[in-house]
Amino acid sequence: MSSIYTAEALATGAGRNGHVRSGDGLVDMDLAIPKEMGGPGGATNPEELFAAGYAACFHSALQGVARQAKVDLGESTVGARVGIGPKDDGVGYALEVTLEVVIPDLPHEQAQQLADQAHQVCPYSNATHGNIPVTVTVSDD
């Protein structure tokens, strides 16, 4: 692979209770462990950032496969839920992802086909394939 773009970010402070800043300064925010994980909450966390990136990337991939198929997606959306929890073997933590695709103006089967194609070309999907469970669902609303 030959990179055409490289993003950079630096984490400082206390990791999940620290700060992140991208190389260009567009991302510049505090982090906090969610209350559900015993932290203070009140700031974003790595899972939210991953969910935002995956949703945006997958939506872009969906738009690309739709363009190739000459299909208008209309007011489509992609939502991502990233879960974190202890690994089954009790050593460390693991992630899981659910992507929810909504394409209101397409029949469910056609929307599912486009979502499945997007899952084959999305860089985030390719990075997670075989590493964490990713479920792609299509909702009608």
Side-chain angles (χ1 to χ4, degrees), residues 8 14 40 49 67 76 109 125 139-140:
E8 294 183 24
L49 296 171
R67 242 186 334 274
S76 62
E109 264 187 49
S125 293
S139 298
D140 296 322

Side-chain angles (χ1 to χ4, degrees), residues 95-127:
L95 300 174
E96 63 183 1
V97 175
T98 300
L99 299 171
E100 183 180 8
V101 176
V102 177
I103 309 173
D105 300 329
L106 287 186
H108 184 85
E109 264 187 49
Q110 187 179 14
Q112 186 67 58
Q113 286 176 336
L114 290 171
D116 291 344
Q117 291 172 2
H119 195 40
Q120 298 303 310
V121 299
C122 173
Y124 276 62
S125 293
N126 288 331

Side-chain angles (χ1 to χ4, degrees), residues 85-95:
K87 289 174 53 180
D88 289 339
D89 64 7
V91 180
Y93 290 84
L95 300 174

Side-chain angles (χ1 to χ4, degrees), residues 7 14 25 31 38 52 56 63 68 80-81 83 85 87 98 104 109 111 118 128 136 139:
L31 301 174
Q63 291 168 340
Q68 287 180 334
R81 288 190 308 275
K87 289 174 53 180
T98 300
E109 264 187 49
T128 58
V136 180
S139 298

Side-chain angles (χ1 to χ4, degrees), residues 28-89:
D28 191 356
M29 59 187 60
D30 290 331
L31 301 174
I33 296 173
K35 288 181 180 181
E36 297 85 348
M37 293 176 67
T44 195
N45 58 69
E47 290 70 40
E48 285 181 338
L49 296 171
F50 185 62
Y54 204 157
C57 188
F58 195 90
H59 202 195
S60 223
L62 182 66
Q63 291 168 340
V65 298
R67 242 186 334 274
Q68 287 180 334
K70 296 180 180 11
V71 173
D72 182 4
L73 294 180
E75 295 295 318
S76 62
T77 61
V78 174
R81 288 190 308 275
V82 175
I84 183 171
K87 289 174 53 180
D88 289 339
D89 64 7

